[in-house]
Amino acid sequence: MTLFLQQIINGIALGSVYALTAIGYSMVYGVLELVNFAHGNVYMAGAFVYYLLAVTLLLPWWLSFVLAVVIMGFFGVLYDAATLRPLRKAGLPKFTGLISSIGVSTVIYNVFFLLLGAETKLYPTFFEGRLLRIGSLSINYIYVVIVAVSTGFLLLLTFFINKTKVGMAMRAVAQSAEAAECMGISTNRIVSVTFFIGSALAAISGILSCMSYRSIDISVGTAITIKAFAATVLGGVGNLPGAVIGAFAIAIAEVLTAGYISSNIRSISSFIILILVLLFRPNGLMGRSVQKKV
């Protein structure tokens, strides 16, 4: 029983990281119907920017965190303005945006490879070696920070989308960009806000994840790309609560597999769940069928 509870705690911490990343995926898809394959390497870049600020420039951790998140948020805006907005303006098919995102992902990866190399680096963290003990359970303090920060940002994002004018405009653009334009909403501005938030969330999850593992290398974005995309599809593409549920389902499946079977096949279990759900519910756990007018 102790092992089970310990793995559930680990799964909640891991799921919090997956959820922040998956929400960024889901937001962009909901507004643009675009699978943003650069998202995983934005996650990696955000973690590396924090590393450079905190370790190389020796800035305070809180300032490094804020700067890394803001820098990656504005990078998301620049990424959209430079590579995706011209495609939308030209009226090109949506798959051209997907191809563009793959190209941006490759550029990000190779820039950091050239600058920092491929070796694994020790990552700065909080509460080094300190554990919170509850009976026979041991909880790393960084897990508490991860869950608290993730929960706080998810609640703020929920409030932002549901209660603010910009959030309502985002939902309007997600329903119909053409109708939103007719109502006076600037689609490009809303897309920029979406990319800012999505990229900032990717940076936050990248920083927190690398803190928990105490290491970083340029391959961390590849793994999270697959997991976050799977979580988004599992919950229902474009559905933010679904992305969160899918993230926790995948994370808990992984840690239970690692704890009871083998860590070598931890990723297999999550994708078995994904395949089974899509076989019986193709739109995901919380996705709904949408009739398209022809």
Side-chain angles (χ1 to χ4, degrees):
M1 188 63 180
T2 301
L3 175 61
F4 177 78
L5 292 175
Q6 188 74 62
Q7 294 301 93
I8 292 296
I9 291 170
N10 296 340
I12 291 172
L14 182 62
S16 298
V17 172
Y18 286 177
L20 284 176
T21 315
I23 280 179
Y25 258 121
S26 197
M27 285 179 63
V28 172
Y29 185 88
V31 172
L32 288 178
E33 294 185 355
L34 167 71
V35 178
N36 180 20
F37 281 111
H39 199 69
N41 278 328
V42 171
Y43 165 105
M44 177 268 290
F48 262 121
V49 170
Y50 176 86
Y51 175 87
L52 292 172
L53 293 172
V55 176
T56 305
L57 300 182
L58 300 178
L59 297 181
W61 69 264
W62 60 270
L63 181 59
S64 300
F65 185 90
V66 172
L67 286 176
V69 172
V70 172
I71 288 170
M72 295 315 301
F74 280 110
F75 172 82
V77 175
L78 178 63
Y79 157 41
D80 170 63
T83 65
L84 298 176
R85 189 178 299 176
L87 302 179
R88 296 196 300 272
K89 186 176 180 180
L92 296 177
K94 294 183 184 296
F95 73 83
T96 59
L98 185 147
I99 296 171
S100 178
S101 74
I102 295 173
V104 172
S105 178
T106 304
V107 169
I108 295 172
Y109 180 91
N110 283 283
V111 166
F112 278 89
F113 175 76
L114 291 172
L115 292 176
L116 299 169
E119 65 273 9
T120 301
K121 296 173 175 59
L122 183 66
Y123 205 77
T125 188
F126 311 123
F127 311 115
E128 178 61 34
R130 294 180 60 187
L131 299 175
L132 174 65
R133 299 193 181 277
I134 304 175
S136 58
L137 297 176
S138 298
I139 305 173
N140 194 318
Y141 274 100
I142 190 61
Y143 288 177
V144 179
V145 173
I146 288 173
V147 173
V149 171
S150 299
T151 302
F153 276 105
L154 291 174
L155 291 175
L156 284 173
L157 182 61
T158 301
F159 175 83
F160 174 80
I161 291 175
N162 293 320
K163 300 297 183 180
T164 66
K165 289 184 178 180
V166 177
M168 288 186 282
M170 288 173 64
R171 287 185 284 141
V173 173
Q175 288 289 325
S176 173
E178 292 80 7
E181 286 279 3
C182 293
M183 297 298 292
I185 297 173
S186 172
T187 301
N188 286 332
R189 186 176 303 166
I190 295 304
V191 172
S192 293
V193 171
T194 303
F195 269 92
F196 182 94
I197 295 173
S199 299
L201 290 176
I204 293 168
S205 57
I207 294 167
L208 295 177
S209 177
C210 290
M211 281 185 175
S212 68
Y213 288 116
R214 296 290 282 115
S215 64
I216 185 173
D217 60 69
I218 59 170
S219 67
V220 295
T222 304
I224 198 68
T225 297
I226 299 171
K227 302 297 177 59
F229 182 63
T232 304
V233 174
L234 178 60
V237 179
N239 187 297
L240 299 188
V244 175
I245 291 173
F248 280 103
I250 284 179
I252 291 174
E254 284 187 359
V255 296
L256 289 178
T257 301
Y260 286 100
I261 304 175
S262 171
S263 60
N264 294 327
I265 60 170
R266 59 180 294 172
S267 297
I268 295 177
S269 60
S270 57
F271 287 101
I272 289 175
I273 293 173
L274 176 63
I275 292 169
L276 290 175
V277 169
L278 294 181
L279 283 175
F280 296 101
R281 191 173 175 82
N283 295 308
L285 293 173
M286 297 187 68
R288 290 179 294 181
S289 298
V290 178
Q291 292 182 348
K292 293 187 176 182
K293 296 180 179 180
V294 295

